[in-house]
Every structure is written in C-alpha cells, then in structure tokens.
Amino acid sequence: MTTSFLYAAVRTPFGRFGGALAEVRPDDLAAAALTGVLDTVPALDPALIDDVIYGNANGAGEDNRNVARMAVLLAGLPTSVPGSTVNRLCGSSLDAAMTASRMIEAGDAEVVVAGGAESMTRAPWVLPKPRRGYPAGDLSAVSTTLGWRLVNARMPKEWTVSLGECNEQLADRYGITRERQDEFAARSHRLAHAAWEDGFYDDLVVPVENTGLHRDEGIRPGSSPETLAGLKPSFRPDGSITAGNASPLSDGASALVVGSEEAGSLIGSDPVARFAGRGVHALDPQDFGFAPVEAAGVALARAGIGWSDVGAVELNEAFAAQSLACVDAWKIDPDIVNTKGGAIAIGHPLGASGARVLGTLARRLASEGERWGVAAICIGVGQALAVVLENVTDTGKWS
C-alpha cells in the first residue's frame, strides 16, 4: 500500500469575532490559505493537484456550499482542479486531511491539498420556511455562528444543551476545577505569545491581504490565572466556564499539501511527516469534549505505538475543561501538550482548526526532534478525530 505524507502546511492568522478579518469572506479566506500553501512549494504545477478538500462547518452563507471549489477558482488555479467540501463540524479540516491521506494510500491521487475555512463573524442568520404560505405572525431569524440550530423536536433535551453546559457537566464529572481551567487558559496565552516571539509561526502563517493582521488576534500575553479568575461564569451562575477559559469565536483558514512519497518529485520538496494512524470516535452528544480520549487511542493502535512513544501532542482547546479531562485520561505529561499555545489563545474558526493542529504538530516534531506526535480534536454532537504523525525530516535517527 502507498504511504501518505504531509509536505507543507500554512494557515492565516486567526481573527477574533468581529475583528480584523470580519470584512473577509470565508471563500476569500479559503483562497488565501490555498495560495499561501502553494507558494511554499513553487515547483508544484497546480494543474497536477488531483483534488482540493476543505472543511467547513457552517456553509450557510458566503461559503457558498462548496467552499473548496470556490477557493480553487478564486485562487486562480486551473479550472480542471476539482474541489470538495466536508463537514464534520469542528473536525472538518482534520477530516479533510484524513480523507486526503486515504486517497493517497488507495492510489486514487498523488497530490491533494486539504484544509478548511470559517468566518464565524460572517455566518448568516437563517430564516426557516413557514409550514404554510403567508404566515400572519412573526418569524425568528436563527444564528448559524455556533451550536445547535433549528433543532429537531425528536432530539432528547439532554443532547441539545449548549456546548458550554456540556463542558460544565464534564467538569463536574471529572472534578476539573475553575482554578485548573484558568491556569490552563493562561498557559495557552503565554505559550502562544512566546511562540510568536520566538519565530515559530513565521513560516506557518500567511497574512490576508488588506487586513493588516499578521498575528493571531486573540492572544493576550498579560493573561494570568488571577485576571481570568475575575471573569463571570458564562453558562451557569455558579459554573466554572468563562469567556476566558474557552476558545473564542474566530475567523481563519488553513491548508496542507498531502502526497505520496513519489509525489516529492512533483512537489519539489521532501515530506515532513508520515500519516501513521487515524482514529474517529463518538459518544453521547453532550460528552463530545471527552471523545478525543478514545479517538487518539484508535489512532495510536493503528500506528502500532503507545502513549509512551509520543513526544508531542496538539489537542484543540475548545474548552479548558475538556482539554484537561482528556490529558488526565491519557495519563501523559502535560508539558508535551500544546507547547506553542492552543485554541483558547489562538482561536477556533471551526472548519479551519483541525488542519491548524496538524500543521503545528508537524512543525513541532521537526523542530523538537521528536519522532511521534498526536493531533486530536473534539467535535460537537459527540464526536472526535485524531491523527498520529511520524516525523520523517531526519529518518536516519530512527533506524
């Protein structure tokens, strides 16, 4: 069987809701990431790209249903390059990368660009169609920014509580205190800021034209457990989850070049990481934050390794509560998790986050000299995805 590799990764800076990227359409964000990642492999003839697969969670507005195809056209690629959009909510772009790797391994493609895009700022309101024409009463517009919408009345109520309430329940179940959550959140900001200052993200992030944004907009290096402790709970009057220890609504895009080993001659560079294992898992919808625990276990088993082999972990920080619950369950050293900051500081534009954590993981493995890494992401409505990467930037050291 053919092996699949990651060759390149970039993303845009992630902007805060209503912030510097608020005027940028999601299809333009998608095109910016696509152009940016191809700029890193200038030897690759875009006409040789077999497919472009993008993740997108909302899709109800300017995403225009198939944002991948929109990105291909807006980026000026040949019209012969196809595009497909996948939706697994928060895991959409990691799903796109996993699909791309499977296509390579099945022999259906040599080079695939995978990624994702989301503008949570520009997600529209939707107006449900009335059951009968010409209703006499009012109709309510529903936000498509985040969470459940137009919920089917047959769904059990415990499944459809807010994402925040789901994590309050998770914090209660696993004894995750407010203090630990705030400490974790402050760490995210501190490490993200340090990573930018150290130049880690310089080659991973491409600016979006005419926005003036060159760094992630949500990072607050002055955040501390003490300052975060002053924020009011967001979901329960006596709860532990606040705007400070949860990921913010965000805008942004990400892109990856995935190919076979033989595709290196087309791409014009050596691969940086091998797709070694993939995992998907699902729980009751309200338990979505804990689903990465088993998804990572599946990916590790398929890679033929265990947690003791892993030197780097990138876990999307949807909430500090669920991140801590997963790290605790894995029984790993927390110091190997999100060492360059996470979504609490960087942001979480739903469809773009999976490719962000995968690209960051690959860069960490190369820069830290670690062999094995895990990228994982929780997904609303009870799901999670995980990928194991093997660093191949210095394969001789593993022999």
Side-chain angles (χ1 to χ4, degrees):
M1 185 179 70
T2 302
T3 305
S4 58
F5 293 89
L6 179 62
Y7 279 84
V10 305
R11 63 176 177 89
T12 69
F14 285 178
R16 291 188 66 85
F17 186 87
L21 300 183
E23 299 302 315
V24 185
R25 291 170 54 112
D27 50 0
D28 284 325
L29 288 172
L34 177 56
T35 300
V37 81
L38 293 182
D39 284 346
T40 69
V41 287
L44 176 63
D45 180 353
L48 299 179
I49 298 171
D50 293 296
D51 210 348
V52 173
I53 309 172
Y54 259 45
N56 181 245
N58 285 329
E62 295 162 339
D63 323 76
N64 210 354
R65 295 189 176 93
N66 186 359
V67 75
R69 179 61 173 170
M70 303 303 137
V72 167
L73 300 176
L74 290 168
L77 271 62
T79 57
S80 59
V81 177
S84 174
T85 298
V86 299
N87 186 348
R88 204 192 284 260
L89 302 180
C90 305
S92 296
S93 58
L94 193 57
D95 208 359
M98 293 165 71
T99 299
S101 68
R102 293 186 189 104
M103 290 177 66
I104 301 300
E105 292 168 17
D108 290 339
E110 289 294 322
V111 181
V112 179
V113 175
E118 206 78 57
S119 174
M120 300 180 80
T121 297
R122 300 182 71 82
W125 293 278
V126 295
L127 195 66
K129 289 184 178 180
R131 294 183 179 181
R132 299 177 182 176
Y134 311 110
D138 296 332
L139 290 175
S140 297
V142 179
S143 173
T144 66
T145 301
L146 179 70
W148 292 86
R149 57 181 182 256
L150 304 177
V151 180
N152 191 314
R154 295 171 55 213
M155 286 284 185
K157 297 299 182 185
E158 63 270 21
W159 287 359
T160 61
V161 296
S162 71
L163 301 178
E165 173 57 27
C166 292
N167 277 271
E168 289 284 9
Q169 294 176 18
L170 194 68
D172 288 346
R173 184 178 311 143
Y174 294 103
I176 309 296
T177 66
R178 167 73 182 271
E179 290 73 23
R180 283 191 71 196
Q181 293 176 54
D182 288 345
E183 288 170 1
F184 185 85
R187 172 185 183 269
S188 184
H189 286 279
R190 182 179 71 255
L191 294 178
H193 176 70
W196 272 106
E197 291 296 297
D198 293 342
F200 177 85
Y201 286 118
D202 289 353
D203 296 332
L204 273 178
V205 177
V206 294
V208 180
E209 290 185 0
N210 303 317
T211 64
L213 186 65
H214 297 277
R215 290 191 177 191
D216 302 307
E217 194 174 15
I219 299 172
R220 295 177 175 172
S223 293
S224 68
E226 292 74 26
T227 58
L228 293 174
L231 298 177
K232 295 182 179 180
S234 300
F235 301 99
R236 294 180 183 176
D238 60 346
S240 63
I241 296 173
T242 72
N245 57 36
S247 59
L249 305 179
S250 309
D251 308 325
S254 54
L256 313 163
V257 176
V258 182
S260 65
E261 187 170 10
E262 294 74 18
S265 60
L266 304 176
I267 296 169
S269 66
D270 294 326
V272 295
R274 178 177 71 90
F275 285 81
R278 297 171 292 254
V280 60
H281 189 63
L283 300 170
D284 287 348
Q286 69 272 27
D287 297 332
F288 76 94
F290 201 65
V293 173
E294 186 59 31
V298 172
L300 287 166
R302 288 176 176 160
I305 63 171
W307 276 116
S308 61
D309 301 300
V310 174
V313 175
E314 285 293 317
L315 171 64
N316 192 58
E317 299 168 356
F319 294 83
Q322 61 83 207
S323 299
L324 288 164
C326 291
V327 173
D328 289 351
W330 287 329
K331 295 181 173 60
I332 58 175
D333 181 357
D335 287 341
I336 70 170
V337 180
N338 298 357
T339 61
K340 307 303 178 183
I344 289 173
I346 292 168
H348 179 20
L350 306 176
S353 289
R356 177 194 73 79
V357 297
L358 197 66
T360 303
L361 177 66
R363 174 61 61 87
R364 279 186 58 198
L365 290 173
S367 64
E368 297 169 10
E370 296 290 347
R371 181 177 184 181
W372 300 103
V374 173
I377 192 165
C378 67
I379 302 166
V381 200
Q383 299 189 87
L385 296 172
V387 169
V388 173
L389 290 183
E390 181 185 18
N391 176 17
V392 296
T393 57
D394 185 8
T395 53
K397 71 184 296 182
W398 315 129
S399 59

